[in-house]
Amino acid sequence: MVYKLALVGLCVACLTPSLAAAAPAGKPAAHASLNLNNVKKALESGDEAQALAALDEIEQARERGAAPLVDALLTRGASSTLLLRAIAVAGSLGEESSSAALAPYVKHRAPEVRHAAAQSLLHTKGKVAVQALRDALRGSDPTLRGTAADGLGALGAKEAVPDLFVVLPKEVPEAAGAIGTLCSGDDCKKFLGFLGKLPFDVMQSGFLPLLLRTSSDVPDALKLQLIEQLRRMATPKAGEVLATALATYPTSGSSKVKARPQREKRRTMSYTRSLCLLSLAAFATGCGAASVNSSQGFNADWQNDGGRSIAAIEQRLHALPAVPNARVVVGLTDTGLSGASLDGKSHWVHAGKEASPPMIAGSLVIIAEGDQVVALDASSGSKVWSIGNRGLGLRGAANDGTSTVLVLADTHKSLFWGISASGAALGSAETSSALGSPAARGGIGFVPWSNQYVSALDIESGNESGRLLMREQVSQALNYGGQIYFGEKGLLRLDEKVRFASTNQASHVTLPKLALPGKPDWLGNGLISPTSEANARSKIRIYAAPATAPSGELSLGGGTFVASYFRVVFGLDSKTGALRWVRAMPADIVGGAAAASGFVLCDASGKVWSLDSTGSSAGTLDLGSKIRLCAADTGAQPVTGTPAHGALSAQIAQALDELEPDMAEAERYLVAELGKLEDPLVTKTLIDLSSSPRIPPELRDETRRLLGLRKNGTDYMLTALARHYDFVSGVLLAPPVGPLADALAASNETRAAPLLAKHLNDPANSADDVAHAARALVKLATAAEYEDLRTFFALYRATADDEALVAAAVACAQAMLRVGGEAGRAVVERAAQDPLTQSDVRRALPDILAKPPAAAHAAQAGAAAAAVATENPAKAAGAR
């Protein structure tokens, strides 16, 4: 209904042209000349009512000679009410000399003040006004950017045309009108090139100014081109532009240009009338209408034998050759499996609907498919055997080079089952206890259960021939390079020390305790049957391999392990857990394995990455399709590459740059690690993060905190301070001025003074950042920064509306006393006596004035705090 009514209104306007035009308002008659001395006294009285009355008199009298008095008030500063009135009066007088006094207020933190200042600059004009409006076009206030664009067109600022083109497609439609007013030649052609690419409403304000210009810098051919483009649009809005151009075209303009809209008017009006009649009609219409052995193994009444039985088994197996698993990687795809040897010599595909992830067991790959357990040749993917699963899920599999051990389970029972090389059933044992993932060696299957036992079962018979008692949680038995290990949180090796496991004296290795993103598991709970469905836990894992150090001590291969968090991989020291390297991968890591030194990792795209212990690439494979999960085994052979991954600080910086915002947990971890490093590059990275729009606010706060503590990277800090929010250049976050100010002041870096001073009067900076900058300038400022200090003090000594601005104003007063000589002292003394000075600021100034410059710095913070406490005791008590 609203749309229809609007259309009716448009049609009525089109079919019944207006016959009346507004007459320009007349100017009020000038009053008698003012007594400027009396006006000056009133403006300097500190009495807001007297000053407002004096400003009214100036405006009514239109006394241009009073402009310097208004400028002086603006230069001194005043209350918000008085400032707004003075800004308006300065605009009404229209003296170009007033632009210098108005310009700083375009950057005032109060929106109403800066908007009023920009409007007045349109009347005072001049180079200063143009520059102030160009600066406003780059600022963070959208409304002010529109006013600035209009103003630049009105002031004939041709030098601003490039900037206007930049902001035109960035939600500053007022730029179109300015461009239409200012462009010439190629710039006008460029403007017409946006027609059809940007919404008509954005472009519209530039068409009439361009068509109505009679100067030679807009050729007739260009105007005729615009007229033709508007005609072809055949819309009411385009027709309205053409009709208005005809009605208002200057008599001194080109006859060719004037003739074209006359012809198009008839066509457009006919089209518009037809459209309107149809619309009105529509409006009117719309208004109307084998056997199982269950007696021998897993006996809960077993008595601890002091490690004798497991030691006897270890002794029997000790001399046997190691049988490592095949060096392959197998990915689970939507249609089955995709496998490859790590040397890249073989690649195979197996079609099927898998009910489990692939499990590498010796030279086989074991999977569950429907009601079958299937064994595939790891090198070719061909089926070796299959056997019914007895209605149970596949929990784990192992192979000793001849026979296979399966653990099958559901929520009520578990089954240990030996399978021959041909797929025939061998020994088995069933229990109501939950069995974990098995390992096999020399005809013995090792099966964890009840979180503390590992039973050694004969694969042929299913009988238990020995048992290990561990004093830590155990649910996994594993084959690393032909050696057998047991555990869950850590690993215990099957060697000559295994008999001492119950007294915690066996060969054992564990990971350092760490708080890593996502809390990844290393081995995981082997009592839970793995699923073929991908989930977050499959992407948040630890990969570590046990290895024997030269001393014979059990350690982790290569001295490192890795933790994955989706697509980020952290390389960590195996003893301390310290971050050694980091990489952001192209896709999420969904599986892999640790080698004796280095790692093999699969990403979700099907790419397989070999990384050495430093994180450097040692080659890649491609499984040929996307994968949900993968299993890999390195056969305990090392992965070797060429270390060339760069310094840790650079690695962290690169990883942070590549991560998406939803990786906040990884980003927090990396930022914390970054803060521990002394590398100057860390400072640059913290600056970049603090200024990045994609970083979550809480993480940005942490980067700022760490940045304020930095003691090196000074050149990076200075470079950052030279940057300001700039809408035209696309810099849409101000630098972290507050932390930079703290760090540079702590290092007594005087080169920062002019940069910090410029940030005082930039409203894109937070009030808190400005306060930190002002406090730093108390220490760092020189006489060269006096004018910036004085400007800030003038703008806010009477308008500060929060504690941060109060603190900043008081700090600027302190800095002026130190670097401003007698002039600076006079400004502060006058403010201390002025009733218009904000109360907290005014109370702090006498104490500062009473101190010598060196001592006043120490007194400044206390004076400001005391002023706040007097004004608001409850708030001060809360701060304490």
Side-chain angles (χ1 to χ4, degrees):
M1 175 63 78
V2 172
Y3 169 77
K4 291 179 177 178
L5 290 174
L7 187 56
V8 170
L10 173 63
C11 293
V12 171
C14 178
L15 298 170
T16 311
S18 172
L19 301 177
K27 293 185 178 179
H31 286 224
S33 59
L34 294 177
N35 184 322
L36 294 182
N37 285 332
N38 289 342
V39 169
K40 181 174 183 294
K41 289 178 182 179
L43 294 178
E44 294 177 352
S45 66
D47 184 304
E48 186 174 86
Q50 287 187 39
L52 287 171
L55 289 171
D56 289 343
E57 289 185 51
I58 293 171
E59 184 176 49
Q60 291 167 7
R62 292 187 289 123
E63 177 54 67
R64 293 179 177 272
L69 302 180
V70 180
D71 298 347
L73 184 148
L74 292 171
T75 302
R76 290 192 302 272
S79 65
S80 295
T81 302
L82 198 51
L83 283 178
L84 288 170
R85 190 72 187 99
I87 288 169
V89 171
S92 70
L93 296 177
E95 288 293 295
E96 184 176 336
S97 59
S98 296
S99 292
L102 288 168
Y105 287 94
V106 177
K107 293 185 176 183
H108 197 281
R109 306 187 73 83
E112 65 275 12
V113 173
R114 55 180 181 259
H115 296 165
Q119 290 290 347
S120 286
L121 284 170
L122 303 186
H123 302 285
T124 57
K125 305 178 183 180
K127 292 182 178 180
V128 173
V130 167
Q131 187 58 54
L133 294 176
R134 292 191 69 184
D135 290 344
L137 193 65
R138 295 175 176 271
S140 56
D141 183 337
T143 302
L144 188 63
R145 290 196 293 264
T147 301
D150 279 337
L152 290 167
L155 296 180
K158 290 182 176 292
E159 63 270 35
V161 169
D163 291 349
L164 291 166
F165 270 117
V166 172
V167 302
L168 175 62
K170 297 167 69 173
E171 299 184 1
V172 186
E174 296 86 350
I179 293 172
T181 301
L182 301 172
C183 70
S184 59
D186 290 341
D187 283 337
C188 294
K189 290 180 182 178
K190 180 179 178 180
F191 179 63
L192 295 193
F194 282 103
L195 186 56
K197 298 177 181 177
L198 294 178
F200 189 87
D201 290 345
V202 172
M203 298 285 294
Q204 185 173 2
S205 65
F207 297 145
L208 277 178
L210 192 152
L211 288 172
L212 299 180
R213 288 167 60 187
T214 57
S215 58
S216 60
D217 53 359
V218 184
D220 286 351
L222 198 67
K223 297 177 185 177
L224 294 173
Q225 177 188 336
L226 174 56
I227 292 170
E228 179 64 17
Q229 286 181 267
L230 292 172
R231 182 192 70 78
R232 289 181 179 179
M233 294 181 72
T235 64
K237 288 185 178 180
E240 183 182 349
V241 171
L242 291 172
T244 304
L246 175 64
T248 57
Y249 195 75
T251 55
S252 59
S254 166
S255 58
K256 292 181 180 179
V257 175
K258 187 171 184 177
R260 182 67 65 88
Q262 181 65 51
R263 293 199 303 271
E264 303 310 331
K265 178 184 178 183
R266 289 192 293 270
R267 295 183 188 176
T268 303
M269 291 299 290
S270 175
Y271 166 82
T272 304
R273 285 190 175 93
S274 298
L275 176 66
C276 290
L277 290 172
L278 288 171
S279 300
L280 288 170
F283 175 65
T285 301
C287 290
S291 66
V292 175
N293 181 348
S294 60
S295 62
Q296 299 298 317
F298 315 116
N299 185 351
D301 295 329
W302 177 82
Q303 298 296 312
N304 183 5
D305 64 5
R308 286 189 299 274
S309 60
I310 195 68
I313 292 174
E314 190 280 326
Q315 187 64 31
R316 177 157 61 92
L317 301 178
H318 184 76
L320 296 179
V323 182
N325 291 329
R327 299 186 69 250
V328 295
V329 57
V330 184
L332 179 63
T333 71
D334 289 337
T335 57
L337 300 177
S338 179
S341 60
L342 291 183
D343 60 12
K345 293 181 179 179
S346 68
H347 179 226
W348 52 266
V349 174
H350 171 79
K353 189 166 182 61
E354 320 305 345
S356 74
M359 302 175 186
I360 300 169
S363 62
L364 302 177
V365 175
I366 309 296
I367 53 172
E369 286 186 352
D371 61 356
Q372 298 288 303
V373 176
V374 180
L376 306 177
D377 183 278
S379 63
S380 66
S382 60
K383 183 184 288 189
V384 177
W385 52 257
S386 67
I387 194 168
N389 64 14
R390 300 192 179 185
L392 302 173
L394 178 61
R395 180 162 292 174
N399 186 282
D400 68 354
T402 302
S403 304
T404 298
V405 171
L406 302 177
V407 170
L408 306 174
D410 61 16
T411 57
H412 303 294
K413 63 183 178 181
S414 298
L415 174 66
F416 166 87
W417 200 3
I419 309 295
S420 72
S422 63
L426 300 174
S428 62
E430 185 178 293
T431 177
S432 60
S433 298
L435 300 183
S437 182
R441 180 169 166 77
I444 301 295
F446 297 92
V447 184
W449 61 286
S450 194
N451 285 322
Q452 60 177 336
Y453 299 122
V454 178
S455 286
L457 304 177
D458 184 83
I459 298 175
E460 289 281 346
S461 66
N463 291 329
E464 183 172 332
S465 53
R467 187 177 295 193
L468 169 67
L469 172 63
M470 290 181 62
R471 298 301 186 184
E472 66 175 83
Q473 191 163 309
V474 56
S475 63
Q476 299 262 16
L478 305 108
N479 177 343
Y480 278 109
Q483 295 290 319
I484 304 300
Y485 298 86
F486 315 111
E488 183 176 315
K489 304 298 183 184
L491 282 180
L492 181 148
R493 183 171 60 193
L494 181 66
D495 61 17
E496 66 278 1
K497 295 182 180 181
V498 71
R499 68 170 63 226
F500 306 117
S502 63
T503 57
N504 295 320
Q505 298 179 68
S507 301
H508 183 268
V509 65
T510 190
L511 300 176
K513 292 183 178 181
L514 294 171
L516 294 172
K519 299 179 180 179
D521 288 328
W522 177 14
L523 303 172
N525 188 348
L527 302 179
I528 300 174
S529 299
T531 174
S532 61
E533 297 301 320
N535 55 49
R537 297 318 306 175
S538 64
K539 302 174 183 181
I540 305 173
R541 292 180 55 190
I542 286 175
Y543 301 90
T548 303
S551 63
E553 178 186 3
L554 188 59
S555 64
L556 295 178
T560 57
F561 65 97
V562 301
S564 67
Y565 182 80
F566 297 94
R567 70 183 192 91
V568 190
V569 180
F570 308 101
L572 303 151
D573 187 277
S574 61
K575 291 187 179 295
T576 66
L579 183 66
R580 296 297 180 222
W581 54 267
V582 63
R583 290 187 66 154
M585 310 304 283
D588 291 346
I589 299 300
V590 295
S597 175
F599 310 90
V600 173
L601 302 171
C602 317
D603 72 28
S605 72
K607 195 166 186 179
V608 182
W609 301 79
S610 293
L611 305 177
D612 70 10
S613 59
T614 69
S616 296
S617 179
T620 59
L621 294 171
D622 196 330
L623 294 177
S625 63
K626 293 181 179 180
I627 60 175
R628 301 200 303 268
L629 302 167
C630 95
D633 202 300
T634 65
Q637 294 188 26
V639 175
T640 56
T642 304
H645 202 38
L648 178 57
S649 56
Q651 294 177 38
I652 294 176
Q654 181 176 349
L656 287 167
D657 185 58
E658 295 176 6
L659 295 184
E660 297 85 359
D662 60 0
M663 297 289 285
E665 192 167 353
E667 290 173 326
R668 279 194 295 272
Y669 172 78
L670 289 174
V671 166
E673 291 297 312
L674 197 65
K676 300 174 184 178
L677 304 177
E678 295 298 327
D679 189 337
L681 183 62
V682 171
T683 301
K684 179 183 183 302
T685 303
L686 290 172
I687 292 169
D688 293 342
L689 292 172
S690 298
S691 305
S692 172
R694 64 181 186 80
I695 296 296
E698 65 275 11
L699 185 58
R700 190 180 300 124
D701 290 343
E702 178 61 10
T703 63
R704 288 169 59 90
R705 185 189 70 81
L706 292 171
L707 182 58
L709 302 175
R710 299 299 295 176
K711 294 180 171 56
N712 56 24
T714 300
D715 287 343
Y716 292 125
M717 297 185 196
L718 295 174
T719 299
L721 278 179
R723 187 177 72 244
H724 288 252
Y725 180 103
D726 190 334
F727 186 77
V728 172
S729 299
V731 180
L732 303 182
L733 269 181
V737 174
L740 292 173
D742 293 346
L744 291 164
S747 60
N748 201 33
E749 180 53 73
T750 56
R751 289 181 296 168
L755 302 172
L756 289 170
K758 293 300 179 187
H759 278 285
L760 288 176
N761 297 297
D762 186 341
N765 299 317
S766 70
D768 185 68
D769 272 2
V770 169
H772 282 263
R775 282 192 286 265
L777 287 166
V778 173
K779 181 178 182 181
L780 302 177
T782 68
E785 286 72 61
Y786 172 76
E787 190 55 33
D788 287 315
L789 292 164
R790 187 206 61 76
T791 296
F792 182 86
F793 188 70
L795 265 60
Y796 300 104
R797 57 102 178 171
T799 63
D801 55 4
D802 65 28
E803 291 184 30
L805 287 178
V806 168
V810 174
C812 284
Q814 172 64 28
M816 284 193 295
L817 288 175
R818 187 173 65 81
V819 304
E822 291 303 317
R825 175 165 285 273
V827 169
V828 177
E829 288 177 341
R830 181 166 189 163
Q833 299 300 318
D834 189 347
L836 295 177
T837 299
Q838 197 267 355
S839 58
D840 293 333
V841 175
R842 190 179 180 195
R843 279 193 289 271
L845 295 182
D847 286 343
I848 292 173
L849 286 163
K851 302 283 185 181
H857 174 39
Q860 179 256 330
V868 173
T870 303
E871 182 74 12
N872 192 339
K875 192 171 188 179
R880 289 194 291 272

